[in-house]
């Protein structure tokens, strides 16, 4: 069931909210049981075949988590570590089997000239997201950051439908207290109002901005993939359009997830915070797919960095070599893993390698600047001038555009052909044909919104729109419209109504075909 579909908007969500708040007046446990049942129904609407896998994952990881907590409580840390490792490897094994088995078989066949038959494996919906959520739970149990809790709370957090399919990747410790809170099921008017506004903005991003930007980018990517050459102008416009599509598609989904959850009184973490305003690729990744980056920085990068640092110190390497071993190499490998997480394709591997290279170079540059300032006796962080800031911003955007071409292309050869086309400075009829004025307008408006206007959470800043909002309140402040602040008055309600009307109109126009799927559903 898609967030931008009629069944979700006009049946599932409103009926679920009514039932939830009515049951919460009787019993909070009854409300939680309903959330679990509704979430399983939501999942089975698209992927009923894998419902037993989802339920089994919840039950097995809860049992493992309890065993780890008990082992920690008895100071049997070796047993706790063993159970943690078994659980983490078991979750990863499921992910690898379903997502990467045929990719591995295909490449083994190419390298060894073997003829291994591909397996009939279908990717379960949302497995990349809920696998990482389970892993984070087990590791936090082993760290002593999660206390023993009831199965009903764990299940409600684990399958809560707004975040189940494509994130955000939540932490148990930030969400479970909200389900266990005595205020669950109260403050309905406030939660419904704020959640509806967040959801409406997200729906607008998806149906009006992302989908129309896709109509501007798809023809050119298809022409180039099929051996055509529409010219550099078309290629540059199309990659700008695709970046708008990707941004608002996933940002819109995240808003709809956060808005849906908020209607139930649950605050989810941010997943986007104006990443394309960043003036470094490091900062871009802090604010793009924030919960995936948080997961990798919290659970993968430190362990890898520690092992490599110990190896460097043991070999008595110099400062520069130790820096490369303890910072650059683990960062590079982390972003390669992020690329592979996105999908079983060489385009995703190379997408990860590109970002790994960009971030590693950024780390080297930042370390060199830091060493130079220390050598000159300068104190405090370097504050770039306006021109320097603009230069860094443009470089960051070019890196993002370059990686997005690999991300969008179905094959590596198609991506390489696209890179060549970017510098094929010829204008042909094919370079102009895909572009109706209204499509170009959507792309231009999309970039203006991205770069200049307040984002969703900044517009809703008076209502703590996310569980970690205070951490990001003063980051990426907009260049235009800082005064824009939603209030539940006549103007605010009218604006929300117009946004919803535009979104629903766009949905009606597309009723002749299936609702456009979210790009990250495939992961």
């Amino acid at each position: 069931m898609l967030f931008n579909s009629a069944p979700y908007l006009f049946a599932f969500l409103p009926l679920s909210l009514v039932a939830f708040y009515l049951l919460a007046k009787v019993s909070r446990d009854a409300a939680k049981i309903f959330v679990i049942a509704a979430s399983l129904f939501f999942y089975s609407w698209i992927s009923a075949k894998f419902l037993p896998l989802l339920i089994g994952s919840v039950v097995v990881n809860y049992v493992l988590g309890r065993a780890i907590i008990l082992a920690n409580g008895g100071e049997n840390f070796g047993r706790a570590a063993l159970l943690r490792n078994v659980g983490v490897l078991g979750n990863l094994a499921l992910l690898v089997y379903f997502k990467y088995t045929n990719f591995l078989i295909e490449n083994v066949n190419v390298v060894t000239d073997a003829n291994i038959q591909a397996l009939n494996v279908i990717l379960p919906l949302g497995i990349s997201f809920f696998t990482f959520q389970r892993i984070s739970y087990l590791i936090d149990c082993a760290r002593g950051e999660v206390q023993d809790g009831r199965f009903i709370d764990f299940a409600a957090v684990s399958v809560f439908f707004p975040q189940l399919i494509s994130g955000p990747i939540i932490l148990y410790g930030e969400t479970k207290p909200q389900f266990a809170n005595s205020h669950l099921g109260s403050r309905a008017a406030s939660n419904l109002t704020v959640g509806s506004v967040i959801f409406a903005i997200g729906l607008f991003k998806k149906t009006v901005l992302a989908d129309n930007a896709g109509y501007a980018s798809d023809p050119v990517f298809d022409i180039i993939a099929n051996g055509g050459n529409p010219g550099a102008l078309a290629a540059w416009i199309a990659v700008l359009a695709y970046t708008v599509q990707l941004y608002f598609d996933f940002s819109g989904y995240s808003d709809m997830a956060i808005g849906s959850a908020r209607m139930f009184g649950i605050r989810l973490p941010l997943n986007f915070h104006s990443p394309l305003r960043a003036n470094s690729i490091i900062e871009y990744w802090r604010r793009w797919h924030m919960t995936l980056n948080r997961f990798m920085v919290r659970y993968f990068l430190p362990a890898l960095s520690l092992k490599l640092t110990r190896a460097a110190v043991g070999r008595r390497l110099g400062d520069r070599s130790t820096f490369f071993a303890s910072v650059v190499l683990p960062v590079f490998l982390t972003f390669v893993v992020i690329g592979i997480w996105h999908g079983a394709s060489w385009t995703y591997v190379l997408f990860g390698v590109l970002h790994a290279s960009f971030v590693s170079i950024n780390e080297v540059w930042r370390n060199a600047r830091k060493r130079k300032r220390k050598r000159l006796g300068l104190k405090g962080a370097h504050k770039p001038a306006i021109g320097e800031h603009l230069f860094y911003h443009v470089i960051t955007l070019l890196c993002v555009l370059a990686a997005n071409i690999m991300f969008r292309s179905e094959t590596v050869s198609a991506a390489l052909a696209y890179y060549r086309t970017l510098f094929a400075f010829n204008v042909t009829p094919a370079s102009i044909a895909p572009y109706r004025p209204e499509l170009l307008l959507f792309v231009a408006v999309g970039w203006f919104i991205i770069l200049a206007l307040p984002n969703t959470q900044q517009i809703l800043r008076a209502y703590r729109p996310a569980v970690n909002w205070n951490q990001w309140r003063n980051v990426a402040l907009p260049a235009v419209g800082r005064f824009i602040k939603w209030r539940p008055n006549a103007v605010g309600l009218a604006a929300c109504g117009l946004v919803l009307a535009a979104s629903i109109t766009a949905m009606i126009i597309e009723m002749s075909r299936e609702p456009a799927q979210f790009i990250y559903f495939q992961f």
Side-chain angles (χ1 to χ4, degrees), residues 5 26 55 168 246 420:
S5 67
V26 178
I55 295 172
L246 180 63
R420 290 192 295 270

Side-chain angles (χ1 to χ4, degrees), residues 423-505:
F423 302 98
F425 292 105
N426 59 311
V427 179
T428 68
S431 67
I432 302 172
Y435 298 114
R436 303 191 305 274
E438 65 270 22
L439 294 182
L440 292 178
L441 177 63
F442 275 113
V443 175
V445 169
W447 274 102
F448 177 73
I449 295 171
I450 288 169
L451 297 177
L453 293 184
N455 57 39
T456 305
Q457 52 268 21
Q458 289 167 340
I459 294 172
L460 274 295
R461 60 189 178 274
Y463 302 96
R464 195 178 159 220
V467 69
N468 57 344
W469 169 235
N470 288 336
Q471 178 185 349
W472 299 98
R473 178 182 294 275
N474 297 315
V475 177
L477 297 176
V480 179
R482 294 191 184 189
F483 62 89
I484 299 176
K485 186 177 183 179
W486 188 85
R487 290 290 190 186
N489 52 27
V491 174
L493 294 175
C496 183
L498 288 173
V499 167
L500 267 178
S503 304
I504 293 172
T505 300

Side-chain angles (χ1 to χ4, degrees), residues 122-283:
I122 301 174
L123 184 65
L125 189 65
I127 190 170
S128 297
F129 293 90
F130 69 68
T131 295
F132 273 20
Q133 184 183 317
R134 306 293 185 270
I135 289 172
S136 72
Y137 170 73
L138 295 178
I139 295 176
D140 286 350
C141 285
R143 290 175 174 177
E145 297 177 8
V146 174
Q147 303 303 316
D148 198 5
R150 299 186 305 158
F151 177 75
I152 187 175
D153 292 322
F154 177 77
V157 171
S158 298
V159 302
F160 188 39
F161 71 86
Q163 53 80 43
L164 181 59
I165 306 301
S166 293
I169 301 170
I170 61 175
L171 300 178
Y172 183 72
E174 72 186 359
T175 312
K176 183 260 184 181
Q178 298 183 64
F179 275 99
N181 195 293
S182 60
H183 293 296
L184 184 72
S186 63
R187 301 168 183 168
S190 173
N191 289 326
L192 289 171
T193 303
V194 174
S196 296
V197 175
I198 296 173
F199 185 92
I201 295 173
L203 185 63
F204 181 88
K205 288 179 180 179
K206 170 60 179 170
T207 59
V208 177
L209 296 175
D211 292 348
N212 282 290
Y215 298 143
S217 66
D218 290 345
V220 174
F221 275 91
D222 292 341
I223 289 170
I224 295 174
N226 292 322
N229 182 4
L233 174 63
W236 280 102
I237 293 173
V239 71
L240 288 169
Y242 176 68
T243 300
V244 170
Q245 180 193 9
L246 180 63
Y247 181 97
F248 284 119
D249 189 278
F250 198 19
S251 174
Y253 175 90
S254 297
D255 284 350
M256 284 187 268
I258 290 172
S260 295
R262 181 59 176 268
M263 291 184 214
F264 288 86
I266 303 297
R267 288 181 172 91
L268 297 182
L270 296 178
N271 224 10
F272 280 83
H273 191 64
S274 299
L276 292 178
R277 295 180 199 165
N279 66 347
S280 75
I281 202 71
I282 293 174
E283 186 60 25

Side-chain angles (χ1 to χ4, degrees), residues 382-434:
H382 172 67
K383 295 182 179 180
I386 294 177
E388 187 180 1
H389 180 93
L390 180 62
F391 174 75
Y392 290 155
H393 187 212
V394 171
I395 292 296
T396 301
L397 290 180
L398 289 174
C399 289
V400 171
L401 294 176
N404 282 351
I405 291 170
M406 186 64 70
F407 188 86
R408 168 61 175 78
S409 300
E410 294 185 5
T411 64
V412 175
S413 60
L416 296 177
Y418 202 104
Y419 292 132
R420 290 192 295 270
T421 308
L422 289 174
F423 302 98
F425 292 105
N426 59 311
V427 179
T428 68
S431 67
I432 302 172

Side-chain angles (χ1 to χ4, degrees), residues 57 60-61 64 84-97 127 130-132 134-135 138:
S57 171
V60 170
N61 281 280
L64 276 171
R84 176 203 62 199
N85 293 341
V86 168
V88 169
L89 291 175
N91 281 288
L92 287 176
L94 277 177
L95 180 62
V96 169
Y97 171 75
I127 190 170
F130 69 68
T131 295
F132 273 20
R134 306 293 185 270
I135 289 172
L138 295 178

